[in-house]
Amino acid sequence: KSIARAKELGPDCVFPNRRSEFAILEEVCRKDPTDWRARYYLGNLYFERCRKADAVRLWSEAVKIDDTYSGLHRNLGMVAWKLDKEIWKAIFHYERAHAANPDDLPLYRDLGTLYREAGQYVKARDFLEQARGKRTRADITSLLAQTYNQLGEYRKAVDLLLADNYINWEGQGGLYNLYTAARIGLGEQAYGKSDYAGALKEFQASAEFPKNLGPGMMSDMPLAETNYWIGLCYERMGRQADADKAFEASAKEIEKGDVRNQEFARKAKAHLDRKM
C-alpha cells in the first residue's frame, strides 16, 4: 500500500537523500517497470553522489514512461548543457520542460540563455517577452535587455529597464551597464541619421543612473565612450569649445576602466592630436 500511494504522490516536494532509500527505490524500479517517479527520485540520488551516467539512464527511462513532468526534462537538459556541452540537446529538453510547466520562471531564464548561447537572439527575445506578462524578475529583465541591445532594439531595452523597480547587488551595476549601452546605442542610431541634437541627448543620458535600477552606480564611472560621442555631436553642431572639453575628458581615461573604455579614450586623444 505504501508503494502504491507513493506512486501517486506529486514529485515536486519529494527529495530522497538517505542511504537506506537507495535500496528501496532500486527495489521499486526492479518490480515496477511503469513507475517513473521512483526512477526520477533514484536518478536524483545518483546524481547527487556524482554518478551521472546512472542518473541520466534512470531519468531517460522515466521520460520513456511519462514525458510530461518538467523536472525530468530540466534535469536531462541541465546535464546536456552544463556537463556534456550539447546545446541543441539541452534546448530540446528545456523546451519540453517549458511546455510541461509554462509558469516556471527559472525555465524562461535558462531556455532564454540557451537560445542566446546558440545565437538564436530573435527566438530568445520572443520567448523572454512571454515571461514579462507573468512576474517581474531582474534576471529575466537583464537577459531580455541584453537581447534587445544585441538586436539593436535599444528603445525597447530602455523602456524595459525603466518600467520597474529592481533590487541590485550594491556595486554590481549590471542593469546600469545595460541601460548605458542602450542609451549609447540610441545615440549612435541618431548620429547615423545626422540627428546630432537627439544623439547628444541620448549620450548625455547614458551617464545618468535611474534610481529604479537600484544600487550599482560607481562613484567614479568610466565615461570615455560617452564623452567621445558627446564630443563628436558638439563638433557636428558647431560647438567646438564644448567638443574639445568632451574629448579632453575622454582622453584622460586612457588607463581607466575596461579595454573598451580605454580604446575610446585613445580615439579621443588621437582626435585632439589631429587638430594640433
Side-chain angles (χ1 to χ4, degrees):
K1 289 183 178 181
S2 295
I3 292 176
R5 183 168 177 268
K7 189 175 179 179
E8 299 303 321
L9 293 175
D12 287 345
C13 296
V14 179
F15 305 103
N17 59 9
R18 290 177 294 186
R19 186 179 297 273
S20 61
E21 289 163 345
F22 272 103
I24 296 170
L25 291 169
E26 286 170 347
E27 182 68 14
V28 173
C29 290
R30 278 194 296 270
K31 289 186 174 181
D32 189 346
T34 67
D35 194 333
W36 66 266
R37 289 174 178 81
R39 286 164 173 78
Y40 170 63
Y41 303 146
L42 184 55
N44 291 349
L45 274 171
Y46 278 141
F47 191 78
E48 184 184 14
R49 286 157 176 78
C50 301
R51 294 174 61 176
K52 186 193 85 167
D54 288 323
V56 169
R57 172 178 57 80
L58 284 159
W59 292 333
S60 299
E61 289 176 6
V63 163
K64 290 178 182 178
I65 298 167
D66 187 333
D67 70 347
T68 62
Y69 181 57
S70 66
L72 280 166
H73 286 291
R74 179 202 59 219
N75 286 3
L76 288 167
M78 183 67 72
V79 170
W81 179 17
K82 298 296 186 179
L83 299 180
D84 297 339
K85 310 302 180 184
E86 297 182 38
I87 193 166
W88 292 108
K89 184 176 180 180
I91 286 173
F92 167 80
H93 282 295
Y94 270 97
E95 286 179 339
R96 298 300 293 270
H98 170 70
N101 188 4
D103 292 324
D104 187 345
L105 287 176
L107 290 177
Y108 282 93
R109 175 199 62 208
D110 293 344
L111 185 50
T113 300
L114 280 164
Y115 285 145
R116 285 169 47 80
E117 289 186 7
Q120 303 290 305
Y121 295 110
V122 172
K123 197 166 187 176
R125 177 201 63 195
D126 295 344
F127 178 68
L128 291 167
E129 284 179 340
Q130 296 175 33
R132 294 292 300 164
K134 297 181 182 295
R135 290 194 305 274
T136 299
R137 278 181 60 123
D139 54 356
I140 293 174
T141 296
S142 177
L143 276 176
L144 183 53
Q146 288 179 59
T147 306
Y148 282 146
N149 282 349
Q150 285 170 309
L151 291 171
E153 298 177 354
Y154 303 114
R155 179 57 62 190
K156 285 185 177 181
V158 169
D159 291 343
L160 172 69
L161 291 168
L162 294 180
D164 295 298
N165 293 308
Y166 303 98
I167 297 174
N168 199 1
W169 287 108
E170 188 170 359
Q172 188 179 50
L175 294 177
Y176 168 71
N177 292 336
L178 291 171
Y179 177 81
T180 297
R183 285 295 191 186
I184 289 175
L186 285 171
E188 290 184 44
Q189 289 178 343
Y191 188 89
K193 297 175 183 177
S194 301
D195 178 11
Y196 304 119
L200 177 62
K201 181 179 178 181
E202 295 296 343
F203 292 131
Q204 289 172 331
S206 75
E208 299 171 356
F209 189 81
K211 292 182 179 179
N212 71 295
L213 298 183
M217 184 176 183
M218 298 172 62
S219 59
D220 187 22
M221 295 181 296
L223 292 173
E225 182 174 4
T226 291
N227 283 319
Y228 173 79
W229 280 109
I230 287 174
L232 289 181
C233 289
Y234 277 139
E235 202 166 60
R236 291 288 188 174
M237 296 166 71
R239 297 171 58 178
Q240 194 59 52
D242 290 324
D244 288 345
K245 287 180 182 178
F247 287 132
E248 288 167 4
S250 178
K252 289 179 181 178
E253 298 190 8
I254 287 179
E255 297 182 359
K256 182 178 177 180
D258 60 14
V259 172
R260 182 179 179 86
N261 191 74
Q262 293 172 12
E263 177 186 350
F264 275 94
R266 285 192 292 271
K267 289 173 69 172
K269 185 177 185 304
H271 194 88
L272 289 168
D273 289 344
R274 284 195 296 271
K275 293 174 58 183
M276 297 177 65

